[in-house]
Amino acid sequence: MLEIKQIKKSFDGTDVLKGVDLEVDQGDVVAILGPSGSGKTTLLRCINFLETADSGELIFDGEHFQFGHISKKDIARLREKTAFVFQNYNLFANKTALQNVTEGLIVARKMGKHQAISIGKQALDKVGLSDRYDYYPSQLSGGQQQRVAIARALATNPKIIYFDEPTSALDPELTGEVLSVMRDLARDGMTMLVVTHEMGFARTVSNKVVFMENGVVVEANTSKEFFENPKMPRTQAFLQNLSGENNT
């Protein structure tokens, strides 16, 4: 469904992505792990063209695109099939939860207001916010705001959702409600590519794990194999450090 070949990106002469390959099949939940500065978020933003990659190839639904030479029209067409959930929600402060979900449908997709409202309510219901349609972001907890952001993504009926550390801005007690929604989406077969520090999610919800460091993929495997039988010494050290932290 989605394949990335040799994507490269540098900032001010510093190589951030050094030729990364990635494959996501329909229904996959792929967790991208790695220490801070490993290139995880840059990879995700380049895949969705929030950053411009220097080179590499993207294959989506059988169509081939060159990262360094892709038209705005093709970017817009690809984005119609994808959705992005940001670390810090990116909601409109002056719009209600329902308006935040319907805005893109009405403005960008030219959908009729009544249809957009119906779809928006269904999406908010799905993330457990059927009693919060008319609440503004300032009236919602961080976890609720992130669930609105997920509902906004779902409302566009995407083929894949990209998540950029969706719980990192949340207090620990609010993290669970967002991860619960993501677990439900995984059970429903939603294809997801998730940059995360949540090892429990990566182990129990994702079916594939990609471990990055210094702009390259160190190891990629099924979640079970990654956690139970890591092949690379750097992966083994990473998991041992996490185990040590959890035991202190």
Side-chain angles (χ1 to χ4, degrees), residues 9-156:
K9 173 66 177 176
S10 63
F11 292 103
D12 298 324
T14 300
D15 294 329
V16 179
L17 298 176
K18 303 173 184 177
V20 172
D21 296 332
L22 179 72
E23 275 192 64
V24 183
D25 295 321
Q26 187 169 351
D28 275 348
V29 179
V30 180
I32 304 178
L33 309 179
S36 296
S38 59
K40 308 184 299 294
T41 289
T42 299
L43 174 63
L44 204 64
R45 290 177 65 84
C46 285
I47 291 173
N48 202 43
F49 306 99
L50 296 169
E51 299 280 358
T52 303
D54 299 325
S55 62
E57 184 178 14
L58 181 148
I59 305 168
F60 193 97
D61 268 357
E63 289 191 88
H64 293 244
F65 305 90
Q66 297 299 318
F67 277 109
H69 306 88
I70 185 169
S71 68
K72 289 182 179 179
K73 184 177 179 181
D74 280 339
I75 290 173
R77 194 160 56 84
L78 283 166
R79 280 185 175 160
E80 287 185 354
K81 302 177 184 180
T82 69
F84 199 103
V85 175
F86 295 87
Q87 185 173 337
N88 292 310
Y89 330 133
N90 279 26
L91 300 180
F92 295 109
N94 63 337
K95 295 185 184 298
T96 64
L98 183 57
Q99 288 169 337
N100 265 285
V101 175
T102 61
E103 178 80 3
L105 300 178
I106 295 168
V107 176
R109 304 206 174 194
K110 312 301 182 188
M111 186 180 290
K113 187 174 181 180
H114 290 296
Q115 183 184 2
I117 288 173
S118 176
I119 290 172
K121 286 181 176 179
Q122 289 174 22
L124 286 167
D125 293 350
K126 193 170 183 65
V127 300
L129 292 174
S130 56
D131 59 343
R132 294 291 189 270
Y133 296 161
D134 298 324
Y135 282 58
Y136 289 89
S138 62
Q139 299 171 303
L140 300 172
S141 70
Q144 289 170 333
Q145 290 183 64
Q146 190 61 294
R147 284 190 279 155
V148 172
I150 294 172
R152 178 177 59 192
L154 287 173
T156 64

Side-chain angles (χ1 to χ4, degrees), residues 175-234:
T175 293
E177 65 190 58
V178 173
L179 293 179
S180 178
V181 167
M182 293 173 68
R183 284 190 187 93
D184 290 343
L185 295 181
R187 282 192 212 102
D188 291 344
M190 173 59 71
T191 306
M192 297 187 279
L193 184 58
V194 186
V195 170
T196 184
H197 290 293
E198 296 291 336
M199 294 302 118
F201 176 89
R203 183 190 284 269
T204 63
V205 181
S206 68
N207 64 312
K208 295 179 182 176
V209 171
V210 175
F211 176 65
M212 291 182 63
E213 186 173 53
N214 297 325
V216 299
V217 173
V218 176
E219 185 163 348
N221 212 328
T222 65
S223 299
K224 181 178 174 63
E225 279 295 299
F226 179 86
F227 284 102
E228 295 181 6
N229 189 28
K231 303 292 190 297
M232 304 301 293
R234 178 63 186 98

